[in-house]
Amino acid sequence: MGKSACSTSPQQLESTCFILRALFLLLFCRHACCHCKILRCNAGYVAATLNLRGSNKDAAYCSALRSYSHCTRKTARTCRGDLVYHSAVHGIEDLMIQYNCSKEGPASPPRPRPPAPNHQGFESLDICNYEKSFLYKHGQPPTYQHCAAFGDPHVRTFHDEFHTCRVEGSWPLLDNNYLFVQATSYPVAKSSNATATGKLTIIFKNMKECIDQKVYQAEIDNLPAAFEDGSVNGGERPGGSSLTIQERAPGQHVEIRAAYIGTTIAVRQAGRQLSFSIRAAEEVAQAFTEEQDLQLCVGGCPPSQRISRSECRHTGSAAETARLLCKEKLPVEDVYFQSCVFDVVTSGDANFTLAAHGALEDAKMFHPDAEKLHIFQTGAGCRLISLPFLLVIVTSNLLAIQLRF
């Protein structure tokens, strides 16, 4: 049988226990005040005494204890009242007595500084590349969320809820620490509750290391490929290139990439309405306070502003005409198809087929889970216009689309 714990000398046992206590404090007391550096002292002592061997180990212990004591004195002022600190001070005094250590004498040399970071280190990573920084910190890529607003408008929230809204005027889609997005809606027809987005304002808030504050504003027939100040990036700061704007289709589709917050935004125009889609890092999407509670992308439309929606299966020829138009671009009868039918029947505007199709295409690109792309709901309460009026308006709109292209 090997030696039992009882054969260990009292000094060795006490020293071992103290090291274990230091390790415990180091591992489980990281909540100590950020200004008190006692955990750094603990770590230095543990590193200096963990593998001591040979006949000079007592002298080495004394050197380590003197170095430990010196470290605690340096941080004494900021550690007053800290339990971890006072436990370390008393432990040092006890061990100094047991090992007959003098207070004067050589101390352990400080631990060597870690080598300078190479090109793969976090310091050398572009802090304005959110995805790379997140991967370095957490060992895995970030998770993303998707939100969209299009058509009447219909809102798909970050949590995959789907609402049709009667919101008229200006409403915030997003309001967090990094982004503010506001949609302004107008009635699509007289004596109708249906509305459509006619103006979008997007504010990329100032981020000291990366970008100046930038504002993007789009209105009907004015979908610029630049920010309000005429620039196409985040400004003169070192990370300015982490915010860019690109025109995908002139006057119809603009894409804004904000790499510094892991976010991509698409703004589209179809007919007389604007649509908005976003793919945002989950951490960014959730960076808001209780006061910023009204965000359509987070909570959807307020209950008082929601409209019952139906795919209009059993409402006559007008609905069937709308269904045929929507079916051409939206073969799956999900909420995008239902929204398309609802909008065409309500407004008589065939361009709403393009709005729903564009929103679905954005979702294919932006939604992190392909299995959740399609949402299926049952609604009620579709409002109709007369078939002759619908046919006249739809025919004129189709001719306008053909002439445009």
Side-chain angles (χ1 to χ4, degrees), residues 315-382:
T315 51
S317 300
E320 287 305 316
T321 301
R323 284 171 56 80
L324 289 173
L325 285 170
C326 294
K327 195 74 172 178
E328 291 179 9
K329 292 188 175 294
L330 302 160
V332 178
E333 296 191 13
D334 60 0
V335 291
Y336 293 97
F337 174 83
Q338 294 175 13
S339 300
C340 175
V341 174
F342 179 90
D343 291 346
V344 173
V345 169
T346 302
S347 68
D349 187 351
N351 285 298
F352 277 101
T353 62
L354 301 177
H357 179 258
L360 179 59
E361 291 301 302
D362 288 338
K364 289 177 182 178
M365 294 292 295
F366 290 169
H367 201 287
D369 187 349
E371 293 184 0
K372 294 182 178 179
L373 174 64
H374 298 287
I375 300 174
F376 299 91
Q377 289 180 347
T378 301
C382 183

Side-chain angles (χ1 to χ4, degrees), residues 258-318:
Y260 68 100
I261 51 173
T263 295
T264 304
I265 292 173
V267 178
R268 296 176 183 262
Q269 177 174 339
R272 307 299 298 169
Q273 69 90 41
L274 301 176
S275 62
F276 167 87
S277 293
I278 186 171
R279 176 182 184 259
E282 183 176 20
E283 185 179 46
V284 171
Q286 295 179 357
F288 57 88
T289 65
E290 292 182 0
E291 289 75 21
Q292 298 166 302
D293 58 342
L294 181 57
Q295 302 180 64
L296 301 192
C297 275
V298 176
C301 302
S304 63
Q305 298 295 318
R306 295 176 192 174
I307 300 175
S308 266
R309 186 190 66 257
S310 171
E311 58 182 284
C312 310
R313 284 187 184 276
H314 308 294
T315 51
S317 300

Side-chain angles (χ1 to χ4, degrees), residues 227-259:
F227 295 107
E228 203 171 48
D229 61 2
S231 65
V232 294
N233 58 34
E236 299 299 323
R237 299 185 186 185
S241 61
S242 63
L243 176 63
T244 58
I245 185 167
Q246 186 174 0
E247 190 173 52
R248 294 294 186 185
Q252 299 175 47
H253 184 190
V254 166
E255 186 173 275
I256 306 173
R257 291 183 177 270

Side-chain angles (χ1 to χ4, degrees), residues 169-187:
S170 298
W171 291 77
L173 293 173
L174 281 172
D175 182 11
N176 60 41
N177 296 343
Y178 303 96
L179 284 168
F180 177 79
V181 181
Q182 179 175 274
T184 302
S185 300
Y186 66 95

Side-chain angles (χ1 to χ4, degrees), residues 152-153 165-173 182-187 193-200 296 305:
D152 191 4
C165 313
R166 63 164 55 89
V167 288
E168 186 176 346
S170 298
W171 291 77
L173 293 173
Q182 179 175 274
T184 302
S185 300
Y186 66 95
N193 286 330
T195 58
T197 300
K199 181 178 179 180
L200 280 167
L296 301 192
Q305 298 295 318

Side-chain angles (χ1 to χ4, degrees), residues 190-207:
K190 292 182 179 179
S191 69
S192 171
N193 286 330
T195 58
T197 300
K199 181 178 179 180
L200 280 167
T201 302
I202 305 171
I203 300 176
F204 297 86
K205 297 181 181 180
N206 173 67
M207 190 169 176

